[in-house]
Amino acid sequence: MTDIFSGQIFSGQTGALIGDTFTQAAQQYALTSPSSGKEIARVADCGVLEAHQALEASIAAFATWRKTTAYERSSLLRKWFNLILRDEQSIARLIALEMGKPVTEALGEVRYAASFIEWYAEEAKRVYGEVLPSQFGHKRLFATKHPVGPVYAVTPWNFPAAMATRKLGPALAAGCTVILKPAEQSPLTALKLAELWLEAGGPQGVIQVITCSDPVAVSGVFLDDPRVRKITFTGSTEVGRILTRQSAETLKRVSMELGGHAPFIVFEDADIDRAVQDVIACKFRNAGQTCVCTNRVYVQRNILEEFTAKLSVAVAALRVGDPLIASTQIGPLVDAQGLAKVKAHVADALTLGATASVGGHALEGLFFEPTVLSGVTADMLVMREETFGPVAPVIAFDSEAEVIAAANDTPFGLAAYLWTKDLARAVRVTESLEYGIIGLNDPVPSTAQAPFGGIKQSGFGREGGHWGLDEYLYVKYVSMAL
Ligand code: NAD
């Protein structure tokens, strides 16, 4: 395998994939690396014209793709999976280059991303229908499953590979075609995945990738057209609301994977050392920029001092640096807006009386020191909004009832975590938390075969497992009278 980088200059695919051709649109936009601040590529800046071309190609491709057998689709997905793993190192470097995730962690993302393709390659063959008993002797009743149609998929920058494959795997397995619009900050990984799809023998128009610097006009083309039968979105709650509203006009199927505000509850009986390591795994991966990262660490008062001291030591040891270096643990924030939000949250907490036991300051460029805030109170911004940065606010609690109420006191409901060795408490608290995903002594619960998704304003629909496939299928009922 040849390396696609020469220093930090990218020499891979930068054109949007429309039909089976990578095309440079009339305009391009500059992509800069968040770690160096330097331009790394000029990417096709698609507009309405390219969106219409992709739309027609998707509709044309659906007519034949939907008729392929599950075995054909499965075999193609399996080939694609193998190619993704073949190129895992270069894809990981691409992720590190374009959005700043440390390359060792990015390699984990590539494998996680590939696991969705593998799992849905298998599951494609298990889209079973049902035969229903009838109360009439002359009738036979059947329920069968079919692809919903062409899909518009919009993904965020924080998992440039995994958020794409978590949609593409089930959609393609079901027999849908997909127009993927990656985030403007991270188009290169999506283009690389699409290149590998073509190399695997993926037919023209089944996956297309529309890159652009302004998503609004491009998205309008797909959202307004009734032939696009589904939108699947991962991103902020604010944008999810807009896209849901826009999709209402043509009554599309809608899946929304939106923002989170995950509580991480450590009870007095927890293994403190392990809970500290798990906060690091949960909070500080991707510099705190994941939807399931904890945003608020609740610690029972009698272990607060020991826990905060140990957490501060562990956080101070995290290695901040160039995401392309294998030993780096914390990279930059993705952009200036992301950095500004982290700074604002920390400044607000410090002004309102919190203290930074470690970190608390911006570094050069888009880097921010890994930070632990103590003396945090519920009125601070960090306790109400997703910070999306390497900041762990620690807050004390006294009783189980109090912490459950505090954990649920948010419009979000994506992921929540609790640490305890007490089985009865584990069951009580798990059942009381109003979240779609619970990590019980587990900081990283997500896996391809399990349902991933939120409730309340974290969205609706599920990705992963058979639930993820159902999002791309409709049920047809046939009643046959003999
Ligand atoms: P974002 O909502 O700003 O952007 C996400 C995508 O939407 C991008 O592709 C962007 O180009 C597009 N977009 C933005 N405005 C649009 C508009 N008006 N019309 C059409 N498309 C538009 O989010 P982000 O900053 O890229 O990602 C971070 C957010 O994503 C966080 O809130 C995070 O919690 C959430 N997220 C959720 C999950 C999940 O599975 N629930 C996973 C990862 C990230």
Side-chain angles (χ1 to χ4, degrees), residues 74 77-78 81 85 113-123 169:
S74 172
L77 285 168
R78 167 60 65 172
F81 163 73
L85 290 190
S115 75
F116 285 93
I117 304 304
E118 180 189 42
W119 201 83
Y120 285 107
E122 294 155 357
E123 197 67 3

Side-chain angles (χ1 to χ4, degrees), residues 152 154-159 163 166-167 181-185 212-220 223 233-240 242-243 246 256-260 289-292 334-335 341 386 388 412 414 452-454 458 463:
Y152 181 46
V154 181
T155 51
W157 49 265
N158 64 346
F159 287 90
M163 294 305 98
R166 214 161 72 171
K167 299 180 186 313
K181 197 210 75 59
E184 43 277 32
Q185 299 94 332
C212 61
S213 62
D214 174 9
V216 179
V218 161
S219 293
L223 294 173
F233 173 74
T234 299
S236 62
T237 295
E238 191 191 356
V239 174
I242 297 171
L243 299 183
Q246 282 181 283
M256 289 283 147
E257 294 283 351
L258 309 177
Q289 304 170 107
T290 91
C291 54
V292 290
V334 74
D335 56 21
K341 189 173 188 194
E386 218 180 5
F388 245 52
F412 300 103
L414 186 57
F452 188 103
S458 291
E463 293 189 324

